[in-house]
Amino acid sequence: MRSYQPDLTPPWKKSAPAPEVPAEPDLVVEEAVTGFCGAVIRCEKTAEGPTVTLEDRFGKHRVFPMAPSGFLLEGRVVTLVRPSAGGPVRPVRTASGSVAVPGARARVARAGRIYVEGRHDAELVERVWGDDLRIEGVVVEYLEGIDDLPAIVREFSPGPDARLGVLVDHLVPGSKESRIAAQVTDGNVLVVGHPYIDVWEAVKPSSVGIGGWPVVPRGQDWKTGVCRSLGWPENTGAAWQRILSSVRSYRDLEPELLGRVEELIDFVTLPA
């Protein structure tokens, strides 16, 4: 008969077990060993034990055992467990991080608008905030540049019931964009911007799978220069689709853009 051997490890040296987290659909976690990051698709019972299937932002699926302390959730080590059938349902969230409203119908468009500089800006805003904008009835339009912004604002005729928000690229002190934005003084118009030369840079390099956005010498077309520096085909349309497809949620965007878009949505949806 084996004799009992007490655990003499001091309490302060014992590591606390990782918290258990139900592996509910759409929960985004990182597998601790491989670094594979994805959303939970399903859990299954197998002869070797429970497994979880994750889907990354490229649509690739991988199956992992639900081992103790086997995953990271927002940087914290956790143990995934099968969700209980009668347990609380985790709220589904939109790409912007808002709680989704199941069955919500799009609101009739407001008189207010959000203007962005170009098509890529509009597509990125739609990708992350599209669900929120439809519920709020906010329409996003693109301008193909802001050189004529003061005239565009006058033509829009903003008012308390028709506020206008404008998102500007490269809005930094001393830039051409900052001088144009300073000419708009109507209290029913909010002009904000991010510091990036182009909205491409507002996507985190890690999400795109690159080490960082290259510095393009002045005088070169910035987007073409980016493609050339990264070794991509010099097709800016295809490059943008590659970048856009890497964006799954607000987590893939830089905070300098996130805060400004949220600010514009709040501004145009405020009661008169």
Side-chain angles (χ1 to χ4, degrees), residues 55 65 128 229 254:
E55 180 185 53
V128 176
S229 296
E254 299 288 1

Side-chain angles (χ1 to χ4, degrees), residues 62-167:
R62 286 191 62 178
V63 180
F64 297 99
M66 295 169 73
S69 304
F71 298 86
L72 301 177
L73 175 61
E74 297 179 350
R76 185 173 53 121
V77 177
V78 299
T79 297
L80 289 186
V81 296
R82 289 170 60 86
S84 59
V89 178
R90 179 170 160 267
V92 177
R93 296 188 176 272
T94 67
S96 72
S98 302
V99 175
V101 183
R105 299 179 64 182
R107 175 174 173 163
V108 175
R110 296 173 182 265
R113 290 287 188 275
I114 291 178
Y115 286 166
V116 297
E117 284 204 46
R119 181 171 59 85
H120 293 179
D121 306 69
E123 289 176 346
L124 187 59
V125 170
E126 164 62 27
R127 180 100 174 173
V128 176
W129 288 274
D131 291 337
D132 303 31
L133 293 168
R134 279 182 283 279
I135 289 176
E136 294 291 348
V138 177
V139 175
V140 175
E141 301 179 12
Y142 65 91
L143 303 174
E144 295 291 4
I146 62 160
D147 288 353
D148 298 322
L149 184 60
I152 291 170
V153 170
R154 287 193 297 272
E155 182 179 353
F156 181 81
S157 299
D161 293 315
R163 291 190 175 93
L164 178 62
V166 184
L167 180 68

Side-chain angles (χ1 to χ4, degrees), residues 52-68:
V52 61
T53 301
L54 304 181
E55 180 185 53
D56 71 4
R57 64 178 178 272
F58 302 111
K60 181 180 179 181
H61 288 194
R62 286 191 62 178
V63 180
F64 297 99
M66 295 169 73

